[in-house]
Amino acid sequence: MASVTVQSSCTNAQKKTVRVSAAIIHALHNCVPCIFATQRGYGAWKDWWEFPGGKQESGESPETAVVREIKEELDTAIEPDRLIATVEWDYPDFHLVMDCFWCSVQSGSLTLREHEAARWLCKGELHSVKWLPADKQLLPLIAGLLV
């Protein structure tokens, strides 16, 4: 599957750009395909839901960043199967560029180290949490992948 780019309606060139990698971790739960979502426990967006991941370090590839971030945040080794989307979104203080990878767990038990909560969400539950605006843009694409 080819990746897609999702952009917000406005782009402000004056804002700082932040590049991040996000993991859309998928697995079967009770024979139903689901994705793993985490709830932020800090900052201005506390209690909002997101796909886990984080900032890409200087010189680091997006794939390396997502593997490192999930190891740090969830004590889990993942395999990024493929890039499914790059989301660009303008937040009040910065412009986000988020590379989103369809990932599977290789080892570990998704232990929360930074997040407040986590849930496995199946297709019919994708809209049951309050998503960060950029992450919410991925839901139609993810719904199509959860078959």
Side-chain angles (χ1 to χ4, degrees):
M1 166 175 283
S3 66
V4 297
T5 298
V6 181
Q7 287 190 277
S8 60
S9 59
C10 62
T11 301
N12 184 342
Q14 303 302 317
K15 292 181 183 179
K16 175 184 175 184
T17 296
V18 177
R19 287 204 69 106
V20 301
S21 292
I24 293 71
I25 300 169
H26 63 93
L28 292 177
H29 284 271
N30 299 321
C31 298
V32 178
C34 299
I35 52 96
F36 190 73
T38 53
Q39 187 178 32
R40 293 177 64 92
Y42 57 89
W45 297 92
K46 181 182 180 333
D47 297 329
W48 290 63
W49 289 76
E50 66 183 350
F51 295 106
K55 291 181 184 173
Q56 298 171 12
E57 295 179 354
S58 178
E60 184 177 47
S61 74
E63 294 88 347
T64 301
V66 76
V67 169
R68 176 186 51 76
E69 286 285 345
I70 299 308
K71 184 65 175 168
E72 291 173 3
E73 292 181 6
L74 299 169
D75 196 25
T76 299
I78 59 163
E79 175 67 30
D81 301 326
R82 65 186 182 274
L83 177 72
I84 62 166
T86 298
V87 175
E88 295 195 29
W89 192 262
D90 283 317
Y91 282 98
D93 299 330
F94 62 94
H95 178 74
L96 178 76
V97 178
M98 180 171 61
D99 295 313
C100 305
F101 294 91
W102 193 246
C103 300
S104 53
V105 171
Q106 297 301 301
S107 64
S109 58
L110 297 167
T111 303
L112 298 182
R113 291 184 163 178
E114 296 182 14
H115 295 91
E116 190 170 299
R119 288 180 54 192
W120 284 99
L121 301 173
C122 300
K123 187 174 184 173
E125 301 169 315
L126 292 177
H127 295 280
S128 66
V129 299
K130 186 177 181 181
W131 290 100
L132 287 172
D135 295 62
K136 187 174 184 177
Q137 304 310 303
L138 291 165
L139 298 185
L141 176 62
I142 290 169
L145 295 172
L146 292 176
V147 292

